Amino acid sequence: MKNQILEQPKPANGNGSNGKAHGMASEIAERIGRSIAYMVEHLDEPLQVSTLAAQASVSPSHYFALFKRQTGTAPIDFFIRLRMNHARELLDSTASSVKEIAAAMGYDDPFYFSRVFKSVHQVAPAEYRRRNGQTRATVQSPNGRAMQPLMMSLQRTAQPGRISF
């Protein structure tokens, strides 16, 4: 799970204020990239913006603004999408029940998990699995540490500074 999440910006040619601005943008991208890596490694745990902000050494409100500017979405919305995309991968690649996958993703209530999944993917998890078939192994541990690795890669969109799924 130690994938490079954000492509590192190329150094600016020249110097002066452009170089300084680019250096700041690069540092922000790096901080947000570390936050996203942290999110990926903690998909099964509750997440608070204050934790991510502290890791980035900025206030929660400033962090929220930086994250949204870099990714186009709020940190918690981004985290929920990461979780639900990984849940979708588990539905595709395991025979685990929806309840087991909900627990592996840190949700105590499988019905709430199903509502969140449906809000992201426009289909309930059980229906998603019926439509796409079932597969191989079972999630070994409900704490999420033994889950299949996150297969999704984040790629930049055509809009600079934004990340999409």
Side-chain angles (χ1 to χ4, degrees):
M1 288 191 160
K2 303 271 189 231
N3 298 342
Q4 184 167 354
I5 305 297
L6 293 175
E7 187 178 286
Q8 293 298 317
K10 293 187 170 97
N13 291 332
N15 39 14
S17 64
N18 257 354
K20 185 176 180 180
H22 178 74
M24 289 175 60
S26 178
E27 183 179 334
I28 291 168
E30 185 179 318
R31 288 180 187 193
I32 300 304
R34 283 194 305 263
S35 291
I36 292 170
Y38 179 87
M39 290 178 188
V40 168
E41 291 177 10
H42 296 88
L43 289 173
D44 62 325
E45 300 171 15
L47 182 72
Q48 294 185 353
V49 172
S50 59
T51 302
L52 297 172
Q55 290 178 343
S57 302
V58 295
S59 72
S61 61
H62 188 64
Y63 176 81
F64 185 92
L66 291 174
F67 192 95
K68 190 159 185 171
R69 187 180 322 136
Q70 187 72 30
T71 65
T73 189
I76 296 303
D77 293 337
F78 191 94
F79 183 63
I80 289 169
R81 288 196 52 121
L82 280 175
R83 275 182 154 180
M84 294 305 111
N85 284 340
H86 191 66
R88 187 188 68 226
E89 290 175 2
L90 293 174
L91 286 166
D92 287 340
S93 64
T94 72
S96 299
S97 70
V98 171
K99 182 178 180 179
E100 291 169 324
I101 292 172
M105 299 312 308
Y107 289 88
D108 295 331
D109 182 351
F111 298 108
Y112 178 67
F113 165 79
S114 292
R115 286 194 305 272
V116 174
F117 186 95
K118 187 173 183 178
S119 75
V120 171
H121 296 297
Q122 286 70 51
V123 63
E127 179 62 22
Y128 175 85
R129 177 171 270 163
R130 273 193 293 278
R131 290 181 186 175
N132 295 299
Q134 206 174 5
T135 58
R136 305 180 284 259
T138 302
V139 176
Q140 297 174 0
S141 172
N143 73 1
R145 296 294 180 219
M147 294 186 299
Q148 303 269 331
L150 186 66
M151 309 273 295
M152 154 183 56
S153 66
L154 302 174
Q155 299 179 1
R156 288 188 173 272
T157 62
Q159 196 171 12
R162 302 247 177 181
I163 299 172
S164 67
F165 297 88

